[in-house]
Amino acid sequence: MAGKRTHRYCGGKGWITLTSGAEATCQPCGGKGWTPVYTAAERAEMDAQRKRETKAAETCERRAREIATGSSRDGYVRVVQMGFWHLREHAPERFATMLRSLDAGRLDDVVKALHAYFIGQRDAGL
Ligand SMILES: [Zn+2]
């Protein structure tokens, strides 16, 4: 992040006054009162990371479809997909480790681990 810019909408306060007169957290800036400013290089890096993640998700989905059999195939594929994005959202360090495992060619291990991970999350009530 190259810097911070005062959020125009809330004027940097992080909260806004609703038409009812009540005050509420400014959602676009998350109550911080500023938004991040990125350099072109940072934006390119974020874009590359997004593409890498999308490609990884597609690779996992394809392999999950090959591994799963019979009538439960769609469910298996869906659980692997949900595991992928849930891990990204809730366990970024494990997600990064998972991407490295994919790079190392451990696709089957990753797909099975994502499936087990999401089943575990679901059983724990998410
Ligand atoms: Zn704001």
Side-chain angles (χ1 to χ4, degrees):
M1 192 171 66
K4 297 175 181 182
R5 178 181 296 134
T6 300
H7 191 220
R8 273 198 215 135
Y9 186 67
C10 64
K13 298 190 304 282
W15 51 270
I16 55 167
T17 305
L18 303 173
T19 47
S20 66
E23 289 170 356
T25 301
C26 178
Q27 294 301 330
C29 69
K32 296 188 302 284
W34 53 268
T35 53
V37 178
Y38 297 104
T39 63
E42 286 170 334
R43 279 197 305 275
E45 172 58 34
M46 287 158 62
D47 192 46
Q49 178 65 17
R50 227 173 353 253
K51 281 182 181 144
R52 183 178 181 226
E53 290 171 2
T54 302
K55 189 165 173 275
E58 287 166 358
T59 300
C60 289
E61 180 187 343
R62 210 164 29 243
R63 187 59 188 141
R65 204 166 290 285
E66 289 166 1
I67 290 174
T69 52
S71 59
S72 63
R73 170 178 284 166
D74 287 349
Y76 185 88
V77 172
R78 201 159 39 244
V79 166
V80 169
Q81 286 175 308
M82 289 189 292
F84 185 94
W85 297 111
H86 189 277
L87 191 69
R88 181 187 187 277
E89 191 68 26
H90 298 278
E93 283 172 23
R94 287 179 69 187
F95 184 76
T97 302
M98 183 271 292
L99 289 180
R100 282 194 295 277
S101 294
L102 281 180
D103 289 344
R106 300 179 54 217
L107 178 56
D108 284 14
D109 291 343
V110 166
V111 168
K112 287 170 189 162
L114 284 173
H115 187 271
Y117 165 76
F118 194 76
I119 293 294
Q121 292 295 313
R122 197 180 60 186
D123 290 349
L126 285 175

